Amino acid sequence: MTDITASDAARVRRVDVTSSAAKARIRARYRREARFKLYGLAALSLAAVFVVVLIGDVLSRGLPAFWQYSLVLDVHVDPAAVSSGGKVDEASIRSADFYPLTKAALESMFPGELSRKAQKQLVRLVSTDAAMPLRDELVANPSLVGTTVKTPLILSATSDLYYKGAGTQIESREMRGIATPSGTSGEITVLSSANDFADALVHLKQRIAEQARSLRSEADRLELFAGDTVTARVKALRDEAEKLQQRVDQPKVEEELDNKMPSLLIAIDGGLMKITKLSDVSATGIVLLPLRSTDEAKPGTWQLVTYETPESNRKVTDQDVAFLERFKQLGHVEQSFNWTFLTAGDSREPELAGIRGALVGTALTLVVTLVLCLPIGVMAAIYLEEFAPKGRLTDIIEVNINNLAAVPSIVFGLLGLAVFLNFFGMPRSAPLVGGITLGLLVLPTIIIASRAALKAVPPSIKEAALGVGASHQQAIFHHVLPLAMPGIMTGTIIGMAHALGETAPLLMIGMIAFIVDIPHGFTDAATVLPVQIYLWSDLPEVAFKSKTAAAIIVLLMFLFVMNGAAIWLRKRFERRW
């Protein structure tokens, strides 16, 4: 007995845990574990940074689109402008031309003589359908016809962006001399008694010198390349730089300003003049806002105004800025929530474009998708999991369902184009066709999710039902299916969220069309939110970029709500066995 015990003890492997080599291995293992944790933390942090940057960028671009600026003016509603045959009713008001009323209200804010060009620019500050709120108010209350109504006029997209910060920095400096204007409108000259324009002239000369240096640097760079064309270009640049330098070398000579330089203006006697020629004692330019009189302006009562961003680098002209700033000074600019974005359909005018048509089209399309794929997907999952005989045919079906879940979505769009549109002749751009196409797209996902939910139910549930005399069908539909329903609904909502974000299949069936009217049925022409985002992102107007980001925010909100509903359903109906 002692020999056997000794032999067994001899065969026991000794574990070295105290030597320096063993301790070094343990430290190396701990270091590897620490590095692995660090790699995981770094990957998680990098993903979080990407998500934060993405969401932050979308929010910064899209949130301004949920707000809009308007001009609150007193508009006199002339009965002759909104009547038809001397009769004022809803039809005549809706078909009336509100342009003359809007134009008169805008011009009443600027007493004095405006040039024809200035009048056109003034009207372009507001939208083509600026009086839409007034029209709606008159339809609701026709008794306002013949009175003066305080109403908000919708600004154009460019004017709205200006108030949102896409304008120019404005600096104003009071002058110390006495200024004498030569007129109140048109081209005038303002004389100063104290060389008030000397500093501005020096600054202008410095900018001209910078332009000359820039041209010479460009010429030096081009000299490195050979060729007759390059040589001619170098000569032209040096000649232009020389002309600019000659202007700089003559400090007292009157200078002309162009739209590539910061705009200089004079605010005097209630008006505003844009300087086109400048010397140290005089300034000549075009009146943007009419002056009240030609009386002398005392020191401190007139200013030199600078628009820092050159006119060539902004969407709004100096005349537009003058009008917009005057409206702001008079307190007629109002900011409000942009309900038009949520209640209107698409439009070529950015300030009038909305996503209501896309939202309704999305809802109708998802209804068709849900009605089609939910019962078919669940029934297919139940049959494959519980009733289908195991064999080669069933295996082939299961493999193809799994493969269909990984097929690119554009393939389903081609299927919809070839079968539903070309073969069956269904209406193009209709939610009916879009819903069927997306239903085929998400059907494999719902089948797979439903089968997984059915497998998650313990077999003892079905066996207990069978043991008390239930049929196979009763055991499945009365006991297994209710317990699997949370997982099935979760998979269905995730599949619907997948369908909500799809664009490629719908492009193939024609839902990329420009749709203005709100769809009212499953066969009406419509578009969906992802396609609307795609269309707006391809437009050149800057205002549509903000609309695109705002539509993305709405789409993300829908996705968050749907995924949140999936999580809530799982937590709410989850059973523990």
Side-chain angles (χ1 to χ4, degrees), residues 468-503:
V468 296
S471 65
H472 191 189
Q473 179 179 345
Q474 289 174 330
I476 297 302
F477 285 94
H478 294 175
H479 301 277
V480 177
L481 184 60
L483 296 177
M485 191 55 67
I488 293 174
M489 297 183 70
T490 300
T492 301
I493 293 177
I494 292 175
M496 296 299 293
H498 179 200
L500 177 63
E502 279 295 339
T503 304

Coordinates of all heavy atoms in Angstrom, one line a residue, residues 468-503:
V468 N -51.5 16.4 -22.1 CA -52.9 16.5 -21.6 C -53.9 16.4 -22.7 O -55.1 16.7 -22.5 CB -53.0 17.8 -20.9 CG1 -52.1 17.9 -19.7 CG2 -52.8 19.0 -21.8
G469 N -53.5 15.9 -23.9 CA -54.5 15.6 -24.9 C -54.6 16.6 -26.0 O -55.5 16.4 -26.9
A470 N -53.8 17.7 -26.1 CA -53.9 18.7 -27.1 C -53.3 18.1 -28.4 O -52.3 17.3 -28.4 CB -53.1 19.9 -26.8
S471 N -53.8 18.5 -29.5 CA -53.2 18.1 -30.8 C -52.0 18.9 -31.1 O -51.6 19.8 -30.4 CB -54.2 18.4 -32.0 OG -54.5 19.8 -32.1
H472 N -51.2 18.5 -32.1 CA -50.0 19.1 -32.4 C -50.2 20.6 -32.8 O -49.5 21.5 -32.3 CB -49.3 18.4 -33.6 CG -47.9 18.9 -33.8 ND1 -47.2 18.5 -34.9 CD2 -47.1 19.7 -33.1 CE1 -46.0 19.1 -34.8 NE2 -45.9 19.8 -33.7
Q473 N -51.3 20.8 -33.6 CA -51.6 22.2 -34.0 C -52.0 23.0 -32.7 O -51.6 24.2 -32.6 CB -52.7 22.2 -35.0 CG -53.2 23.5 -35.5 CD -54.3 23.5 -36.5 OE1 -54.5 22.4 -37.1 NE2 -54.9 24.6 -36.8
Q474 N -52.8 22.4 -31.9 CA -53.2 23.2 -30.7 C -52.1 23.5 -29.8 O -52.0 24.6 -29.2 CB -54.3 22.4 -29.9 CG -55.6 22.3 -30.6 CD -56.6 21.3 -29.8 OE1 -56.1 20.4 -29.2 NE2 -57.9 21.6 -29.9
A475 N -51.1 22.6 -29.6 CA -50.0 22.8 -28.8 C -49.1 24.0 -29.4 O -48.6 24.8 -28.6 CB -49.1 21.5 -28.7
I476 N -49.0 24.0 -30.7 CA -48.2 25.1 -31.3 C -48.9 26.5 -31.2 O -48.4 27.4 -30.7 CB -47.9 24.8 -32.7 CG1 -47.1 23.5 -32.8 CG2 -47.2 25.9 -33.4 CD1 -45.8 23.5 -32.1
F477 N -50.2 26.5 -31.6 CA -50.9 27.8 -31.7 C -51.4 28.3 -30.3 O -51.5 29.5 -30.1 CB -52.0 27.7 -32.7 CG -51.6 27.7 -34.1 CD1 -51.4 26.5 -34.8 CD2 -51.3 28.9 -34.8 CE1 -51.0 26.5 -36.1 CE2 -50.9 28.9 -36.1 CZ -50.7 27.7 -36.8
H478 N -51.7 27.4 -29.4 CA -52.2 27.8 -28.1 C -51.1 28.0 -27.0 O -51.4 28.7 -26.0 CB -53.2 26.8 -27.6 CG -54.5 26.7 -28.5 ND1 -55.5 25.8 -28.3 CD2 -54.8 27.5 -29.5 CE1 -56.4 26.0 -29.2 NE2 -56.0 27.0 -30.0
H479 N -50.0 27.4 -27.2 CA -49.0 27.4 -26.1 C -47.6 27.9 -26.6 O -47.1 28.8 -26.0 CB -48.8 26.0 -25.5 CG -50.1 25.5 -24.9 ND1 -50.5 25.8 -23.7 CD2 -51.0 24.6 -25.5 CE1 -51.7 25.2 -23.4 NE2 -52.0 24.5 -24.5
V480 N -47.1 27.4 -27.7 CA -45.8 27.7 -28.1 C -45.8 29.1 -28.8 O -44.9 30.0 -28.4 CB -45.2 26.7 -29.1 CG1 -43.8 27.1 -29.6 CG2 -45.1 25.3 -28.4
L481 N -46.7 29.4 -29.7 CA -46.7 30.6 -30.4 C -46.9 31.9 -29.5 O -46.2 32.9 -29.6 CB -47.8 30.6 -31.5 CG -47.9 31.9 -32.4 CD1 -46.6 32.1 -33.1 CD2 -49.0 31.7 -33.4
P482 N -47.8 31.8 -28.5 CA -47.9 33.0 -27.6 C -46.6 33.3 -26.8 O -46.3 34.5 -26.6 CB -49.1 32.6 -26.6 CG -49.9 31.6 -27.4 CD -48.9 30.9 -28.2
L483 N -45.9 32.2 -26.4 CA -44.7 32.5 -25.7 C -43.6 33.0 -26.6 O -42.6 33.6 -26.2 CB -44.2 31.2 -25.0 CG -45.2 30.7 -23.9 CD1 -44.7 29.3 -23.4 CD2 -45.3 31.7 -22.8
A484 N -43.7 32.6 -27.9 CA -42.6 33.1 -28.9 C -43.0 34.4 -29.5 O -42.1 35.0 -30.2 CB -42.5 32.0 -30.0
M485 N -44.2 34.9 -29.2 CA -44.6 36.2 -29.9 C -43.7 37.4 -29.6 O -43.5 38.2 -30.5 CB -46.0 36.5 -29.4 CG -46.7 37.6 -30.3 SD -46.6 37.3 -32.1 CE -47.7 35.9 -32.2
P486 N -43.2 37.6 -28.3 CA -42.2 38.7 -28.1 C -41.1 38.7 -29.1 O -40.7 39.7 -29.7 CB -41.8 38.5 -26.7 CG -42.9 37.8 -26.0 CD -43.4 36.9 -27.1
G487 N -40.4 37.5 -29.3 CA -39.3 37.4 -30.2 C -39.7 37.6 -31.6 O -39.0 38.3 -32.4
I488 N -40.9 37.1 -32.0 CA -41.4 37.3 -33.3 C -41.7 38.8 -33.6 O -41.3 39.4 -34.7 CB -42.7 36.5 -33.6 CG1 -42.4 35.0 -33.5 CG2 -43.4 36.9 -34.9 CD1 -43.6 34.1 -33.6
M489 N -42.3 39.5 -32.7 CA -42.6 40.9 -32.8 C -41.3 41.7 -32.9 O -41.2 42.7 -33.6 CB -43.5 41.4 -31.7 CG -44.9 40.7 -31.7 SD -46.0 41.4 -30.5 CE -46.3 43.0 -31.1
T490 N -40.4 41.4 -32.1 CA -39.1 42.1 -32.1 C -38.4 41.9 -33.5 O -37.9 42.9 -34.0 CB -38.2 41.5 -31.0 OG1 -38.8 41.7 -29.7 CG2 -36.8 42.2 -31.0
G491 N -38.4 40.7 -34.0 CA -37.8 40.5 -35.3 C -38.6 41.2 -36.4 O -38.0 41.7 -37.3
T492 N -39.9 41.3 -36.3 CA -40.7 42.0 -37.2 C -40.4 43.5 -37.2 O -40.3 44.1 -38.3 CB -42.2 41.7 -37.0 OG1 -42.5 40.3 -37.0 CG2 -43.1 42.4 -38.0
I493 N -40.3 44.1 -36.0 CA -40.1 45.5 -36.0 C -38.7 45.8 -36.5 O -38.5 46.8 -37.2 CB -40.2 46.0 -34.5 CG1 -41.7 45.9 -34.1 CG2 -39.7 47.4 -34.4 CD1 -41.9 46.3 -32.6
I494 N -37.7 45.0 -36.2 CA -36.4 45.2 -36.8 C -36.4 45.1 -38.3 O -35.7 45.9 -39.0 CB -35.4 44.2 -36.2 CG1 -35.2 44.5 -34.7 CG2 -34.0 44.2 -36.9 CD1 -34.3 43.5 -33.9
G495 N -37.1 44.1 -38.8 CA -37.3 44.0 -40.3 C -38.0 45.2 -40.9 O -37.6 45.7 -41.9
M496 N -39.0 45.7 -40.2 CA -39.7 47.0 -40.7 C -38.7 48.2 -40.6 O -38.8 49.0 -41.5 CB -40.9 47.2 -39.9 CG -42.0 46.1 -40.0 SD -42.6 45.9 -41.7 CE -43.4 47.4 -41.9
A497 N -37.9 48.2 -39.6 CA -36.9 49.3 -39.5 C -35.9 49.2 -40.7 O -35.5 50.2 -41.3 CB -36.2 49.3 -38.2
H498 N -35.6 48.0 -41.0 CA -34.7 47.8 -42.2 C -35.4 48.3 -43.5 O -34.8 49.0 -44.3 CB -34.4 46.3 -42.3 CG -33.5 45.9 -43.5 ND1 -33.5 44.7 -44.0 CD2 -32.7 46.7 -44.3 CE1 -32.7 44.7 -45.1 NE2 -32.2 45.9 -45.2
A499 N -36.7 48.0 -43.6 CA -37.5 48.4 -44.8 C -37.6 49.9 -44.8 O -37.6 50.6 -45.9 CB -38.8 47.8 -44.8
L500 N -37.7 50.5 -43.6 CA -37.9 52.0 -43.6 C -36.7 52.7 -44.1 O -36.8 53.8 -44.7 CB -38.1 52.4 -42.1 CG -38.2 53.9 -41.8 CD1 -39.4 54.5 -42.5 CD2 -38.3 54.2 -40.3
G501 N -35.5 52.2 -43.9 CA -34.3 52.8 -44.4 C -33.8 52.5 -45.8 O -32.8 53.0 -46.2
E502 N -34.6 51.6 -46.5 CA -34.2 51.2 -47.8 C -34.5 52.3 -48.9 O -35.5 52.9 -48.9 CB -34.8 49.9 -48.2 CG -34.1 48.7 -47.6 CD -32.7 48.5 -48.1 OE1 -32.4 49.0 -49.2 OE2 -31.9 47.8 -47.4
T503 N -33.6 52.4 -49.9 CA -33.8 53.3 -51.0 C -33.6 52.7 -52.3 O -34.5 52.9 -53.2 CB -32.7 54.5 -50.9 OG1 -32.8 55.1 -49.6 CG2 -33.0 55.5 -51.9

